[in-house]
Structure formats: C-alpha cells, structure tokens
Amino acid sequence: MKLWRWLLSCLLRSLADGACAEPAAAEKGAGGSPELPFPGPSAAGSAREREDALRKSFKRIMHLNLLSSNDNITAFYGINQFSHLYPDEFKAIYLQSRPFKVPKYTPGVRLNGTETPLPAKFDWRDHNVVTQVRNQETCGGCWAFSVVSGIESVYAIKKKVLEELSVQQVIDCSYNNYGCHGGSTVQALIWLNQTGEKLVRDSEYPFKDQTGLCHYFSQSTFGVSITDYVSYNFSGQEDEMMKMLVEWGPLAVIVDAVSWQDYLGGIIQYHCSSGEANHAVVITGFDRTGDIPYWIVRNSWGRSWGIDGYAHVKIGSNMCGIADEVSAVFV
C-alpha cells in the first residue's frame, strides 16, 4: 500500500478514534524513513507531519467546497498530489512568481483590425499550437514555464511547426530573475527582448528541476528568439484580453493560486483575489457558451493536476487577479 493511501486511511481512522499506527516496514525506504510518492517535503518531514498536513487539508477542502454546488460548473476541491503539504510549504515550493508593475491597457493599442466579433468559444489547443502540459516539479520556475509556453505557441502559429523549447535555458540564463527560487514573466521577456537570446529545443537543454549554469550555443544552432512583447493591466477590460488572445496567441499571466493547491476541476469563482499574484500560467482560450464564461488556463504542475493540467477561471471579475499582468510575445 502506497504511503499516501496509508496517510488517507490513517486520517479517516484517526478522525474516528484518534488512533493511528506507524506505516509498515515494507513501506519504508532503505534508511527506515517512510517513502512519499510526492515531490517536496518528506522530503522534509516525518509521516506524522504529513498526516497532520493531510488532516488540515481535509478541513481546508471542506471550507473551500462550502460554496460549491452540484451543478458540475462551480470549482470543486479535494485530495490531490499537494494534500500532504502545509500551505506555507506549498507556497514556498510552487508559488514563486514575482509581480511586475505594468501599464493599464488603453483600448485600441496595437489591436487595430480586430473588430471582428469574438467567437463564443476559442482555444488555441484546437489549432495544434500548444505543447503538452509540463511539470515544474519542485522548481519555483513557473514564470519560465509560462513565458516559454507562450513563445512555443506564437512560433507555431507563425511557422506552422510546434517545437518544445527549453525552459531550463530561461531558468539558468535569465540573469534578472532567480531561477528555481522565483522570477517575473515580464523580467524574462525584457531579458529575451534585450539580448535576442535564442531558445533551443528542450531536447538540447532539458529541464533539471534546479538552477544551473547558463549554457551557450553557436549561432548555427536552431533556436527561437522574440522580436517584441507587450505587457498590460487588463483589469476591467477582459473583453479586450479575449481580442488579444485571438489575435496574437496564448497569453502569459500571473494569478493568486493559493487555493489552487486543492483544485480538482470546475470553474474557479471564489477563494482567490487580485493584488496577491504569486504564480505564472498561460491562457490558451476561453468559453462563453455556458452560464458562467471562463478562461482556459494551462498550468505547469503536470497533467494529473486539475483538468488534465488546466484550470477554468471565471471571466469578468478579474478572478484571481488574472487580468492584472498580461503579456503577449512576438517572434
């Protein structure tokens, strides 16, 4: 029996009678300590600490689901790969995006010729220009995953070839950021724009789950560089964001993702706020066909999280601060 199942069954028993035995020896590692099938601490903690974190997760999830309904629309929360972490641990590992002050969007800026009515539903994945969801593991490099995902898609839109580009290169070489200890999507775009750095294929410079030394490549090596970028605050103007998405491609954004630790699916409408951004993601589309319109948001926590690695976030109220810092790239 995997230890996470033991923790869950143990928690259910302890809620009933307060008793919980240590895991069987067969579930312990060579050093005698329990092996957890999750990234991160324990890693940094005993089985009892993980049990306590899981117990607190149960209580938190019950609170988060108070506003959920049985309509299969509202977001619902539950046990997932992060339930063994205390919220502070989760934030320290996974929520390391740094906000950057950007100007308020002025209607009409660079969006001339986009007066065609917006479709009710649009998703760049349907155009085969979005790579598979990746997993940042225990590296706080969400900012790099967000930027690289946007560049991959814009390159595919323009060149009709979908390439998986190196996130590790951005983590190691973006000198105005902090690698796996955090960074800013806008700072990464400034670095790419100023240096003309070519992002090589992921196979040339694979992800290592830690910050390393920057590798340099010859000019003859295949790579994708950006020609420009824009970053705006679209709060109160999410219709303009939709135009920007359709016209230019997936958008790199930052959000308050504290409650996303427990997210399983549905449309996020509560439990997060603007002005508290801590995580970088990518918007690939939107859907306005139902009662609640929502953004389609690609994350970097693997395909087992959320809806095959994606979240749905309500459009129209700057939910989770999703419109506060929005970036588009050009190649």
Side-chain angles (χ1 to χ4, degrees):
M1 180 173 66
K2 296 289 187 182
L3 187 58
W4 73 269
R5 291 177 182 166
W6 170 80
L7 285 170
L8 183 56
S9 62
C10 175
L11 175 60
L12 294 173
R13 290 198 305 273
S14 63
L15 288 174
D17 58 20
C20 186
E22 287 293 332
E27 295 168 15
K28 297 187 178 183
S33 59
E35 291 182 334
L36 283 171
F38 306 107
S42 191
S46 68
R48 289 212 176 273
E49 287 174 325
R50 297 306 108 203
E51 178 199 343
D52 182 61
L54 189 61
R55 185 192 305 275
K56 288 179 167 61
S57 289
F58 260 72
K59 293 179 180 179
R60 183 177 64 249
I61 288 164
M62 290 176 66
H63 169 73
L64 290 171
N65 282 326
L66 286 176
L67 295 176
S68 296
S69 60
N70 295 320
D71 55 11
N72 293 321
I73 296 175
T74 308
F76 53 96
Y77 303 85
I79 296 297
N80 65 13
Q81 67 264 46
F82 301 129
S83 299
H84 70 300
L85 298 174
Y86 292 111
D88 287 347
E89 292 174 329
F90 174 75
K91 188 171 183 178
I93 297 169
Y94 297 99
L95 307 183
Q96 289 296 311
S97 182
R98 315 288 173 88
F100 190 95
K101 184 72 173 178
V102 296
K104 189 78 174 174
Y105 176 73
T106 302
V109 172
R110 297 191 68 166
L111 282 174
N112 295 329
T114 57
E115 298 307 316
T116 304
L118 283 167
K121 183 178 181 180
F122 185 87
D123 190 344
W124 280 110
R125 291 179 296 176
D126 297 335
H127 300 262
N128 299 314
V129 296
V130 180
T131 56
Q132 289 290 323
V133 170
R134 301 190 199 183
N135 193 337
Q136 69 183 75
E137 300 180 27
T138 57
C139 170
C142 58
W143 56 276
F145 282 85
S146 173
V147 165
V148 171
S149 176
I151 295 171
E152 289 170 339
S153 291
V154 173
Y155 181 80
I157 292 167
K158 183 176 181 178
K159 299 292 187 179
K160 313 303 180 187
V161 178
L162 183 59
E163 298 279 2
E164 192 168 80
L165 302 176
S166 174
V167 174
Q168 190 68 43
Q169 184 178 3
V170 179
I171 289 170
D172 291 347
C173 303
S174 180
Y175 56 81
N176 51 358
N177 282 302
Y178 303 95
C180 285
H181 298 292
S184 158
T185 55
V186 178
Q187 289 279 29
L189 291 170
I190 291 172
W191 165 71
L192 286 165
N193 201 42
Q194 288 179 344
T195 63
E197 184 86 4
K198 293 196 307 182
L199 297 184
V200 300
R201 293 185 176 95
D202 182 73
S203 58
E204 292 275 348
Y205 201 156
F207 180 61
K208 299 185 184 304
D209 191 21
Q210 61 184 351
T211 310
L213 295 175
C214 180
H215 297 180
Y216 295 94
F217 295 84
S218 69
Q219 286 299 310
S220 61
T221 304
F222 168 84
V224 177
S225 57
I226 71 171
T227 59
D228 203 358
Y229 75 95
V230 293
S231 299
Y232 292 114
N233 180 332
F234 278 92
S235 57
Q237 302 181 80
E238 290 181 61
D239 282 349
E240 295 293 325
M241 266 179 75
M242 284 186 266
K243 293 178 185 178
M244 189 174 177
L245 174 85
V246 172
E247 181 72 9
W248 292 341
L251 305 174
V253 301
I254 60 173
V255 295
D256 167 21
V258 171
S259 67
W260 294 22
Q261 177 178 358
D262 307 300
Y263 177 77
L264 296 182
I267 303 172
I268 297 172
Q269 304 173 63
Y270 314 102
H271 308 308
C272 59
S273 61
S274 61
E276 300 291 339
N278 45 47
H279 185 53
V281 290
V282 177
I283 300 176
T284 66
F286 56 81
D287 190 332
R288 303 186 295 165
T289 59
D291 293 336
I292 302 171
Y294 61 86
W295 295 111
I296 300 167
V297 181
R298 170 190 162 122
N299 204 350
S300 54
W301 294 341
R303 297 187 66 184
S304 63
W305 178 87
I307 307 165
D308 294 325
Y310 282 74
H312 293 165
V313 179
K314 181 182 177 182
I315 292 174
S317 54
N318 196 17
M319 185 58 53
C320 304
I322 199 167
D324 286 341
E325 186 185 310
V326 182
S327 300
V329 298
F330 307 95
V331 300

